Amino acid sequence: MLRDVVALAYDGVGTFGLGIASEVFGFDRGPEGLPTYDFAVVTEQPGRVRTDTGLDVHVEHGLERAARADLVIALGWEHGDVDPPEAYGQVLRDAVARGARVMSQCTGAFVVAASGVADGRVLATHWRYADELARRYPAVRVDSDVLYVDDDPLFSSAGSAAGIDTCVHLLRREHGAAVAAAVARRLVVPPHREGGQAQFVEGPALPPDDGQRLRDVLVWASERLDEPLPVERLAARALQSPRSFARHFRVLTGTTPLAWLLAQRVALAQELLETTDLPVEEVARRCGFGAATTLRQHFTRRLGTSPQAYRRTFRGTGEPALVAT
């Protein structure tokens, strides 16, 4: 269970990523009934550390504080052409060796890659730095087309805001959909974005109101997941032809209407399994899958566990269910 989290700080550390880690894992939400963590920022030489925006932060803890962490976060690394100090690599190797998890945010992927723990594994990073990361560390499989990658025990995000998505995803794995949704609401961010969603999608210019129109359709659809929602119905709601709607949907979201619907339905199923005693057949109906067999098929494909096993896990021991990557 995730209880102890540290973030690695070094010269030029990413300010925004440091803020994300501190907000998600350092803020005390215990009074709200949410998990709390023993959170610390650590550095090789405690004291003043310069961030990438020139803002100095005072870091009290040395790297030895990371020895008991369940999660070590490698924040943005400003010096892509220079290997990080070996001491940080040792922290990451020790973390993986004892069964802890490692997360990188944006160019923090360079720190993880330099340590060797990602050899033969997949890392996401910002598309701007993906080629350089792949060139410097050929043993790492770099994915520049996604928001984040879950290659447990490694979690990596593509860019600054995607770091929030990665943290929320990890909370969902550790504590379940209800906790992840509650934290996301506090952060005023979507409770779930698919990691495989594109970082950016180039496409034709769209009318300026298309973004708001699509948001309205998504809200409308998310309130009717128990109903049939073919692309024709969604397109009609957006006052577009099905072909235009599907094209605009991909341009604006980086995914397809069907993939988005499946993700929302599985997420709702997770929430209902955690928070209600509804039979699996009824959960399937309320999520729009129709039958329990269909729910089990999509649930297992996405999460690597059955609905029944997921319910036992999150309503029983509190230990995280296995999730396919």
Side-chain angles (χ1 to χ4, degrees), residues 50-281:
R50 182 186 65 87
T51 70
D52 59 349
T53 60
L55 173 70
D56 288 346
V57 295
H58 182 78
V59 180
E60 297 182 1
H61 300 281
L63 296 182
E64 66 278 359
R65 169 62 180 79
R68 67 173 190 263
D70 305 309
L71 172 66
V72 179
I73 304 174
L75 302 173
W77 175 251
E78 186 183 44
H79 319 283
D81 57 341
V82 177
D83 283 339
E86 170 59 19
Y88 294 99
Q90 190 62 54
V91 167
L92 296 177
R93 289 191 293 273
D94 290 345
V96 172
R98 67 173 179 271
R101 284 166 165 160
V102 167
M103 178 186 294
S104 66
Q105 293 196 358
C106 195
T107 51
F110 283 84
V111 182
V112 175
S115 74
V117 300
D119 288 358
R121 290 183 172 273
V122 183
L123 286 181
T125 193
H126 193 289
W127 58 267
R128 183 177 180 181
Y129 307 105
D131 289 344
E132 177 64 14
L133 181 66
R135 185 189 68 79
R136 288 182 58 80
Y137 306 103
V140 176
R141 295 155 54 199
V142 179
D143 193 336
S144 62
D145 294 327
V146 297
L147 293 179
Y148 59 85
V149 167
D150 174 348
D151 193 3
D152 201 8
L154 306 184
F155 296 78
S156 51
S157 68
S160 298
I164 302 176
D165 295 307
T166 315
C167 290
V168 172
H169 170 73
L170 181 56
L171 293 181
R172 178 181 289 270
R173 287 200 54 171
E174 280 290 312
H175 307 297
V179 167
V183 174
R185 281 194 297 272
R186 290 284 277 109
L187 298 174
V188 197
V189 297
H192 182 63
R193 284 205 296 172
E194 286 290 298
Q197 189 168 318
Q199 290 189 35
F200 68 97
V201 181
E202 294 181 349
L206 298 175
D209 66 334
D210 267 24
Q212 183 59 51
R213 184 184 301 172
L214 179 58
R215 281 189 289 273
D216 292 343
V217 172
L218 296 186
V219 170
W220 177 85
S222 66
E223 296 172 346
R224 295 165 174 79
L225 293 175
D226 59 326
E227 302 176 11
L229 294 170
V231 68
E232 291 81 6
R233 188 179 180 191
L234 299 176
R237 185 74 185 181
L239 304 179
Q240 294 177 330
S241 70
R243 184 174 180 179
S244 293
F245 177 78
R247 183 176 70 253
H248 291 179
F249 194 99
R250 177 173 284 280
V251 168
L252 290 167
T253 70
T255 190
T256 66
L258 176 59
W260 180 85
L261 276 171
L262 284 175
Q264 300 305 305
R265 283 171 165 155
V266 170
L268 177 58
Q270 289 177 268
E271 182 177 349
L272 292 176
L273 289 166
E274 290 178 40
T275 60
T276 75
D277 293 317
L278 292 171
V280 172
E281 192 74 38

Side-chain angles (χ1 to χ4, degrees), residues 1-6 25 35-40 65 68-71 174-175 317-319:
M1 179 62 71
L2 184 61
R3 295 185 179 90
D4 194 296
V5 180
V6 300
F25 299 108
T36 59
Y37 310 96
D38 190 353
F39 174 76
R65 169 62 180 79
R68 67 173 190 263
D70 305 309
L71 172 66
E174 280 290 312
H175 307 297
T317 65
E319 292 297 319

